Amino acid sequence: MEFFDSHAHYNDEKYDEDREEIIKRIYEEGITHTVCVGYDLIKSEYALEIANRYDFIYATAGISPNDISDYTEENIKEIESIAKNKKVVAIGEIGLDYYWEKENKEKQKKLFIDQINIANKLNKPIVIHTRDAAVDTIEILKNNPVNKKGIFHCCPLNQELIREGLKLGFYISFSGNITFKNAKSKECVSLVPIDKILIETDSPYLSPEPLRGTRNNSINVKRVAGKIAEIKEISIEEIAKVTYENAKRIFSI
Ligand code: NI
């Protein structure tokens, strides 16, 4: 079985001690594709550097709403120039976060739209981060259509958001959060047709149960696949295969 972890941050400091070793190990464990996701200027540059070092790793470039202090005209231009690289498969992660950032909603919206414009200029999809901001996120996507669509990363378990996202033609990416107790995973996963599902770890964050709280890595994407297989009542082999094909399709790999 081969797995595609659609979202991980091997550009995070939490891997500074053993990055090379972990990357080697995930590949040996059958994670034969992953995307190293940028979230500010420096980490987007670093994501590309890592992607250039390993054939099986791709990158994204973008400034997340949690890193809005990085938002200057010049930085946006630099994101665009990083994103022109062949190994950069999407603009992201970008979006709105009203959970951590309540005071600067208008600035977040502008940053989001500016980067949607980059995606359209370069004809690449986007990777969306949205938290406590479902209504505004959907409204922006309706008013600023993304040619190549994209992915709701670590999709909040919000049925309305999932329905609207699917209507707009986006993919839904599930992470370790669907294994948490009290998570509304069953209702949410059931809503998504199998050809629109991606799986991810968001490493080093969001380790699935029973590893919650520990540093995550892409091997745990198998647990996410397992949970989806259980809910959809299909084999994990089938989930691995379909999510792999879906990821290759959206990222044009
Ligand atoms: Ni992330």
Side-chain angles (χ1 to χ4, degrees):
M1 258 192 284
E2 287 181 81
F3 292 86
F4 195 134
D5 179 2
S6 74
H7 191 116
H9 300 283
Y10 290 106
N11 45 358
D12 193 284
E13 302 83 52
K14 292 197 172 67
Y15 297 110
D16 283 353
E17 300 287 306
D18 55 359
R19 179 170 292 105
E20 226 171 294
E21 204 179 297
I22 294 259
I23 289 177
K24 189 168 163 261
R25 194 150 60 86
I26 66 167
Y27 188 78
E28 286 165 359
E29 287 280 338
I31 317 305
T32 58
H33 281 82
T34 187
V35 179
C36 183
V37 173
Y39 45 91
D40 62 18
L41 182 58
I42 303 286
K43 295 299 183 188
S44 297
E45 277 166 352
Y46 193 28
L48 175 59
E49 192 186 314
I50 292 172
N52 281 335
R53 221 179 294 157
Y54 301 93
D55 275 355
F56 78 107
I57 300 183
Y58 295 79
T60 73
I63 300 171
S64 91
N66 306 111
D67 297 275
I68 202 152
S69 58
D70 239 24
Y71 180 28
T72 64
E73 289 278 307
E74 203 175 315
N75 285 359
I76 287 282
K77 273 190 204 129
E78 284 186 65
I79 289 291
E80 183 177 333
S81 89
I82 298 167
K84 280 181 183 152
N85 197 287
K86 246 207 285 182
K87 265 219 126 170
V88 176
V89 291
I91 306 301
E93 53 189 275
I94 61 174
L96 302 174
D97 191 323
Y98 299 165
Y99 179 83
W100 292 110
E101 310 281 339
K102 292 181 181 65
E103 306 305 324
N104 51 18
K105 293 183 180 172
E106 291 311 309
K107 203 172 170 196
Q108 287 192 46
K109 289 180 191 172
K110 172 113 175 31
L111 172 64
F112 187 20
I113 294 167
D114 279 356
Q115 295 183 98
I116 288 176
N117 293 338
I118 296 176
N120 283 339
K121 194 165 160 191
L122 301 179
N123 216 21
K124 296 193 181 189
I126 63 172
V127 175
I128 302 172
H129 169 106
T130 177
R131 191 160 182 198
D132 287 0
V135 173
D136 285 358
T137 303
I138 294 296
E139 191 188 303
I140 286 180
L141 293 174
K142 281 183 178 161
N143 295 334
N144 303 271
V146 188
N147 299 339
K148 286 282 181 175
K149 311 295 180 192
I151 299 152
F152 279 87
H153 129 70
C154 184
C155 192
L157 299 175
N158 168 338
Q159 296 188 56
E160 201 43 37
L161 176 75
I162 294 176
R163 276 196 202 96
E164 291 295 324
L166 288 170
K167 261 194 243 166
L168 289 168
F170 279 70
Y171 287 77
I172 306 295
S173 183
F174 292 113
S175 68
N177 63 347
I178 62 168
T179 68
F180 298 168
K181 284 189 191 82
N182 301 322
K184 293 180 187 134
S185 19
K186 194 159 187 211
E187 295 106 298
C188 290
V189 172
S190 306
L191 277 181
V192 188
I194 182 167
D195 64 344
K196 285 289 183 185
I197 296 181
L198 298 185
I199 50 174
E200 66 168 77
T201 57
D202 203 16
S203 295
Y205 309 104
L206 278 170
S207 280
E209 292 290 2
L211 306 167
R212 200 170 174 182
T214 65
R215 186 182 69 167
N216 204 358
N217 69 66
S218 296
I219 299 167
N220 295 326
V221 83
K222 296 178 187 180
R223 293 176 191 268
V224 178
K227 184 72 189 180
I228 295 171
E230 182 193 311
I231 293 170
K232 292 272 190 198
E233 297 180 346
I234 27 187
S235 69
I236 188 166
E237 284 82 2
E238 184 68 12
I239 295 294
K241 184 169 164 273
V242 176
T243 54
Y244 195 90
E245 285 163 2
N246 293 345
K248 287 187 106 173
R249 188 182 320 118
I250 183 69
F251 292 126
S252 298
I253 293 173

